[in-house]
Amino acid sequence: MDFQHTKGTFELAGKQFPRVTWYKQKGMRSLYICLLFVVLTSATNGYDSSMMNGLQSLDQWRDYYHQPSPSQLGLLNSIWAVGSLVALPVVPYTADMLGRRTGVMVGCSIMLGGVALQSLGFTFAMFVSARFFLGFGVAIAHGSSPLLITELVHPQHRAIYTAIYNTTWYMGSFMAAWLTFGTSKIQSTWAWRTPSLVQALPSLLQMGFIWFVPESPRWLISRGKNEKALRILANAHAEGNKMDEVVQLEYQEIRGTLKLEQELEGNKWAELWRKPGNRHRLIILVSLGFFSQWSGNGLVSYYIHNVLNQIDITGSTQQLIINGVLQFTNIVVAVGMCFFVDRLGRRLLFLISTCGMFVCFLTWTVCSAQFEINHSKSSANAVVVMIFLYYVFYNTAWSGLLVGYAVEILPYNIRAKGMTVMFLAIDLSLFFNQYINPVALDRLRWKYYIFYDIWLLFEIFIIWKFYIETRNTPLEEIAKHFDGEGAIIGGRGANEKLRQIVEEIENAGALPDECTGDVADEKVVPHGTPRGPKVDV
């Protein structure tokens, strides 16, 4: 097994630096605490999934909307994906033109409007319309949040922090599951209106704390605001010391790479498939999107009520408890595995995860078939056990690395557009899951599981064939894994030819500069050196 203990150093531009302790540095500590609220975008998504599961188990909700049919339930859940699909054309332009922070704020504002409409929910049509706006808003916020996180955190912590982003899906899911369980005792429409209102909480927290999070240095440099970007890097990674060696190497690498990308490539959509390396990335992005939702997890994420009904676990309280315990298990496994991303590597985790899912789902299928034939309680219990084990394997990789791996393999010039492609694949698969799954489960019952058994084998092959290991590699330098000698990398990580091109571009004044950020009369100091006199920010 390709296991690697955590080293005492991290690498940047071919050099090794002592690892830093984030909570001992004031700037890094405050940044990471505020970024915890940026990751709540994913929690909003998870909250919605679990809340909809819970509402379908509530008699108060089903009675209010006159026992929605499987087709109506499919529409209710899939309309979220439709809203996300409609928003996708504007997602990359919001993140690239307005900035990462603004993208988060725009998305949260739209979601808050959707929550208000959903909580009123006077008619079924009104409830469905609200979910469209929720999907629209979360797509915009989702298109900016992981970019902001990845482009702000220290190189040493990028893999862990970015992986944690998507695991907050389960934190939202856990909160919704147990809140819905608690409100199930309310004998009025507030049994379901209360969880709906609480769905606004993550967005409200984000809207409040986003003001304390700086803009992405990479976005600022792309807009010619170099001095501001350098100041943010220094405050976040070196306690304000702009001449810290790591800060200077980061700054030079980012600035040089962006100059090369803008001069040699641009950021048109065609860049996604123009080069072999980008086509390779595109295969990974599309597969990440579809595999993350088409692995059988969509059955439980939105329709655990239907799955449990088919094995005669029909009690509302029992279903809500199973859902709540499952979400707690998911949180523990998903967050725990984030700390092994750089130790075990992305590729190995994906393979372990998907192979384990296949074994569990195959057993799940057999147990479901046995229950339909024999109606034995042991078969029903085995199905529940397999659901839990399946999610243990799912969360080994697919929860955290879905966004973490996707965002890191993309160079800056196509990062927002590449993530949009992945979210498009997710929304298309979600639309299928949410509209087709309840109908297929109702008509085919356990036989429908066979489709996912076969599909999981296909997933294993694609991961083995195309997924590349990127662990312990600085963000700008990951391009080497995909583009080889043709990788566009600036700074110390660039080859001699690229360095000459960067110098020519700078001499020609290819990019408007607010300030170069280079301090010629100051000396670069080793990483971790006390900053000395206070830097005026």
Side-chain angles (χ1 to χ4, degrees):
M1 182 173 67
D2 187 18
F3 181 87
Q4 177 175 309
H5 290 282
T6 301
K7 299 189 298 182
T9 60
F10 67 93
E11 182 176 327
L12 180 66
K15 297 186 66 175
Q16 298 292 325
F17 296 93
R19 297 177 72 85
V20 298
T21 305
W22 67 270
Y23 55 83
K24 291 183 179 179
Q25 295 193 16
K26 182 180 178 181
M28 196 178 297
R29 183 172 63 246
S30 60
L31 171 66
Y32 285 10
I33 290 172
C34 290
L35 280 177
L36 286 175
F37 294 93
V38 177
V39 305
L40 290 179
T41 302
S42 186
T44 304
N45 210 349
Y47 185 98
D48 181 83
S49 170
S50 188
M51 183 190 73
M52 290 310 302
N53 252 337
L55 296 189
Q56 291 170 56
S57 296
L58 290 178
D59 294 333
Q60 299 92 320
W61 184 85
R62 294 200 304 270
D63 292 342
Y64 186 84
Y65 289 116
H66 309 295
Q67 305 297 325
S69 66
S71 180
Q72 285 179 307
L73 291 176
L75 173 63
L76 185 65
N77 284 315
S78 64
I79 199 67
W80 168 288
V82 173
S84 294
L85 284 168
V86 173
L88 284 180
V90 303
V91 167
Y93 299 104
T94 303
D96 282 343
M97 297 175 68
L98 301 180
R100 293 10 180 166
R101 291 171 74 243
T102 303
V104 175
M105 288 188 281
V106 170
C108 288
S109 300
I110 296 172
M111 281 189 282
L112 288 174
V115 168
L117 194 63
Q118 178 179 267
S119 300
L120 292 173
F122 297 127
T123 65
F124 189 78
M126 187 176 181
F127 200 92
V128 170
S129 300
R131 296 187 53 69
F132 173 88
F133 287 108
L134 281 165
F136 192 97
V138 80
I140 294 177
H142 220 12
S144 297
S145 296
L147 307 187
L148 182 61
I149 294 167
T150 298
E151 294 169 6
L152 270 175
V153 296
H154 190 279
Q156 175 188 318
H157 307 128
R158 188 196 74 244
I160 294 175
Y161 212 115
T162 310
I164 287 174
Y165 170 80
N166 212 48
T167 64
T168 61
W169 193 98
Y170 288 122
M171 295 179 187
S173 182
F174 175 79
M175 181 179 176
W178 286 104
L179 180 61
T180 308
F181 174 74
T183 61
S184 65
K185 310 303 180 183
I186 302 174
Q187 297 304 314
S188 70
T189 59
W190 285 106
W192 59 267
R193 292 188 198 276
T194 301
S196 181
L197 278 171
V198 175
Q199 191 170 5
L201 183 60
S203 296
L204 288 172
L205 289 172
Q206 286 186 290
M207 292 285 283
F209 280 88
I210 196 69
W211 300 102
F212 301 99
V213 177
E215 182 55 87
S216 160
R218 288 163 176 82
W219 185 82
L220 290 170
I221 291 174
S222 74
R223 297 291 162 175
K225 300 178 180 180
N226 297 338
E227 178 63 24
K228 187 174 182 180
L230 179 59
R231 190 164 64 243
I232 289 171
L233 283 172
N235 290 338
H237 298 173
E239 298 189 284
N241 187 359
K242 291 194 285 188
M243 298 314 299
D244 181 88
E245 188 175 6
V246 165
V247 169
Q248 281 293 316
L249 285 174
E250 283 187 281
Y251 172 75
Q252 292 165 13
E253 193 164 82
I254 294 168
R255 188 172 174 220
T257 301
L258 292 182
K259 284 181 180 292
L260 287 167
E261 288 178 353
Q262 290 188 17
E263 184 71 15
L264 302 180
E265 293 187 341
N267 67 343
K268 296 180 179 179
W269 284 97
E271 290 298 325
L272 288 169
W273 54 82
R274 188 175 65 84
K275 298 193 307 181
N278 285 350
R279 290 194 291 272
H280 190 164
R281 292 181 177 97
L282 195 58
I283 291 172
I284 293 176
L285 292 170
V286 173
S287 66
L288 281 170
F290 280 106
F291 294 174
S292 68
Q293 306 302 324
W294 270 7
S295 298
N297 52 309
L299 296 171
V300 175
S301 294
Y302 282 89
Y303 299 106
I304 192 171
H305 171 71
N306 304 51
V307 171
L308 294 177
N309 278 348
Q310 291 188 1
I311 53 174
D312 279 354
I313 299 177
T314 57
S316 175
T317 299
Q318 195 174 5
Q319 288 188 359
L320 289 169
I321 290 175
I322 289 174
N323 189 32
V325 175
L326 177 62
Q327 303 317 318
F328 177 75
T329 305
N330 289 339
I331 291 172
V332 173
V333 178
V335 175
M337 291 309 301
C338 291
F339 297 91
F340 291 89
V341 170
D342 275 335
R343 290 189 176 195
L344 297 177
R346 284 70 158 159
R347 177 181 163 86
L348 180 60
L349 285 175
F350 274 121
L351 286 171
I352 291 173
S353 176
T354 312
C355 289
M357 287 157 56
F358 168 72
V359 173
C360 291
F361 208 91
L362 186 63
T363 309
W364 177 355
T365 304
V366 172
C367 292
S368 297
Q370 283 297 308
F371 178 82
E372 187 147 321
I373 295 170
N374 303 319
H375 294 280
S376 64
K377 187 174 178 60
S378 59
S379 297
N381 291 337
V383 169
V384 175
V385 171
M386 284 304 111
I387 289 173
F388 275 80
L389 287 177
Y390 168 89
Y391 269 96
V392 167
F393 281 106
Y394 179 89
N395 292 313
T396 298
W398 288 99
S399 178
L401 288 178
L402 169 62
V403 171
Y405 188 56
V407 74
E408 72 178 13
I409 67 173
L410 289 161
Y412 178 87
N413 65 319
I414 58 171
R415 188 166 292 147
K417 290 181 172 64
M419 292 298 289
T420 299
V421 170
M422 188 192 74
F423 289 132
L424 172 63
I426 289 174
D427 288 335
L428 288 173
S429 54
L430 277 175
F431 180 80
F432 175 90
N433 278 354
Q434 294 166 350
Y435 194 75
I436 301 299
N437 277 346
V439 178
L441 276 172
D442 185 58
R443 295 182 180 178
L444 298 177
R445 299 181 69 80
W446 69 269
K447 297 181 182 68
Y448 182 49
Y449 299 156
I450 297 174
F451 164 77
Y452 289 110
D453 292 328
I454 297 171
W455 181 259
L456 282 164
L457 284 175
F458 174 70
E459 290 185 12
I460 294 169
F461 170 76
I462 294 298
I463 292 166
W464 173 79
K465 180 73 174 176
F466 293 103
Y467 283 37
I468 289 178
E469 185 53 64
T470 59
R471 71 179 182 183
N472 298 320
T473 308
L475 188 58
E476 266 67 40
E477 297 174 32
I478 287 176
K480 293 177 180 178
H481 295 299
F482 289 87
D483 304 315
E485 292 299 317
I488 302 297
I489 303 171
R492 299 282 180 87
N495 57 40
E496 188 58 36
K497 181 179 179 181
L498 289 176
R499 289 178 189 172
Q500 292 175 1
I501 294 174
V502 170
E503 290 178 5
E504 292 172 3
I505 294 172
E506 289 181 337
N507 292 335
L511 285 176
D513 285 347
E514 176 193 76
C515 172
T516 64
D518 299 322
V519 188
D521 58 346
E522 292 188 59
K523 183 179 179 181
V524 175
V525 298
H527 184 55
T529 301
R531 55 175 290 187
K534 178 177 174 61
V535 177
D536 183 16
V537 295

